[in-house]
């Protein structure tokens, strides 16, 4: 009688163990499947992001090629004492045409220097980035920005001025905006943080009633496509410039 009860007890224990073991195996299998599914989703997201960046870089390169400025050598380079030019630029975000600030200066301008005159046949900023976009924008108007030593976008307001290539001016349509702030570079919303070590430059296309401004630009590594438009950018800690 006792032996029979022991056998039943052992049988129940064995059945219970088998049941729990199978449950544990099932749970482990489900966890592995979930991990696999999560890994596959993350891989797809990473691949999509990679393809997105590659596409943006390709678009920037194609835009650079199609927008490259071809100029024939001239017998003389226009000096800063030439008659004042007035140009217009159409803001692609509003469709309105605004007057562009002049890029020439008088002989009495303390920033006037032949070092500010670039070569129409040489773009020192080629590569599809922000500086390339600004150079080509002004080159299309017959103004060639010379090479700036350490000419990353954020340094145009300091190195460009000290080297006689650019001069500071007020915020207005058609001028160059240069700076490091996250809000201006596109890295975030801060008007004081300097996340980007290179900074950014863009062409101002409009000034808004609240003091913010709009730009047309391109971005390093395809972050902004060629001719990208942004609006309502804070002018805090941003420098505004014109070529000499």
């Amino acid at each position: 009688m006792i032996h029979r009860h022991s056998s039943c007890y052992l049988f129940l224990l064995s059945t219970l163990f088998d049941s729990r073991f199978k449950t544990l195996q099932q749970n482990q299998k489900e966890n592995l499947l979930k991990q696999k599914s999560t890994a596959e989703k993350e891989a797809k997201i990473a691949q999509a992001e990679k393809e997105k960046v590659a596409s943006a870089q390709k678009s920037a390169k194609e835009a650079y090629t199609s927008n490259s400025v071809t100029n024939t050598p001239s017998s003389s380079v226009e000096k800063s004492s030439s008659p004042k030019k007035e140009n217009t630029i159409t803001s692609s975000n509003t469709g309105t045409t605004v007057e562009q600030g002049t890029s020439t200066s008088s002989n009495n301008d303390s920033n006037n220097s032949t070092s500010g005159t670039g070569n129409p046949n040489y773009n020192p900023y080629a590569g599809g980035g922000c500086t390339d976009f600004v150079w080509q924008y002004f080159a299309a108007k017959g103004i060639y920005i010379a090479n700036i030593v350490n000419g990353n976008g954020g340094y145009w307001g300091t190195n460009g001025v000290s080297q006689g290539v650019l001069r500071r001016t007020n915020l207005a349509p058609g001028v160059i905006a240069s700076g490091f702030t996250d809000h201006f570079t596109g890295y975030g919303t801060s008007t004081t943080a300097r996340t980007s070590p290179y900074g950014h430059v863009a062409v101002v296309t409009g000034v808004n009633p609240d003091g913010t401004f709009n730009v047309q630009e391109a971005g390093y590594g395809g972050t902004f496509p060629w001719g990208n438009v942004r609006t309502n950018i804070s002018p805090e800690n941003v420098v505004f410039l014109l070529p000499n």
Side-chain angles (χ1 to χ4, degrees):
M1 193 70 174
I2 294 174
H3 177 71
R4 197 181 306 161
H5 280 220
S6 298
S7 298
C8 291
Y9 180 72
L10 290 173
F11 175 76
L12 289 173
L13 283 177
S14 177
T15 303
L16 180 61
F17 177 79
D18 287 344
S19 177
R20 290 185 175 180
F21 181 72
K22 288 179 180 179
T23 300
L24 179 61
Q25 283 186 318
Q26 183 64 28
N27 289 340
Q28 289 178 336
K29 182 178 179 180
E30 291 177 355
N31 287 336
L32 288 173
L33 289 173
K34 287 180 180 178
Q35 291 175 5
K36 181 181 178 182
S37 176
T38 300
E40 288 176 347
K41 289 180 180 178
E42 290 177 349
K44 287 181 180 179
I45 293 173
Q47 182 62 28
E49 187 64 24
K50 183 179 179 180
E51 291 175 354
K52 181 179 178 182
V53 172
S55 176
Q57 291 175 332
K58 181 180 178 182
S59 297
K61 185 176 180 180
E62 290 174 348
Y64 164 70
T65 302
S66 63
N67 285 281
S68 293
V69 179
T70 303
N71 297 285
T72 55
S74 58
S75 57
S76 61
V77 178
E78 181 183 21
K79 297 183 179 180
S80 58
S81 59
S82 300
K84 185 176 179 181
K85 289 184 179 180
E86 294 293 336
N87 297 295
T88 59
I89 175 175
T90 300
S91 174
S92 58
N93 61 304
T94 61
T96 57
T97 300
V98 293
E99 184 177 340
Q100 179 190 350
T102 176
S103 61
T104 58
S105 59
S106 67
N107 288 326
N108 296 324
D109 192 331
S110 60
N111 285 323
N112 184 31
S113 169
T114 55
S115 64
T117 303
N119 186 334
N121 300 307
Y122 172 61
N123 176 2
Y125 309 102
C130 61
T131 52
D132 184 12
F133 180 85
V134 174
W135 189 92
Q136 291 201 44
Y137 169 84
F138 282 96
K141 302 178 183 302
I143 302 164
Y144 308 99
I145 300 174
N147 184 44
I148 299 170
V149 179
N150 190 354
N152 290 322
Y155 292 97
W156 279 30
T158 51
N159 296 344
V161 173
S162 65
Q163 294 169 30
V165 178
L166 305 168
R167 69 179 187 276
R168 294 199 178 193
T169 187
N170 296 322
L171 172 59
V175 305
I176 302 166
S178 170
F180 287 92
T181 68
D182 290 352
H183 192 231
F184 176 58
T185 60
Y187 279 80
T189 59
S190 174
T191 57
T192 56
R194 296 162 57 103
T195 302
S196 169
Y198 308 107
H200 188 51
V201 285
V203 176
V204 176
T205 58
V207 181
N208 304 310
D210 62 357
T212 61
F213 63 97
N214 310 328
V215 298
Q216 193 167 17
E217 63 197 344
Y220 177 77
T223 305
F224 298 135
W226 191 272
N228 182 66
V229 171
R230 282 191 298 150
T231 61
N232 304 112
I233 300 172
S234 171
E236 186 175 353
N237 295 318
V238 177
V239 176
F240 302 99
L241 309 154
L242 281 173
N244 279 330

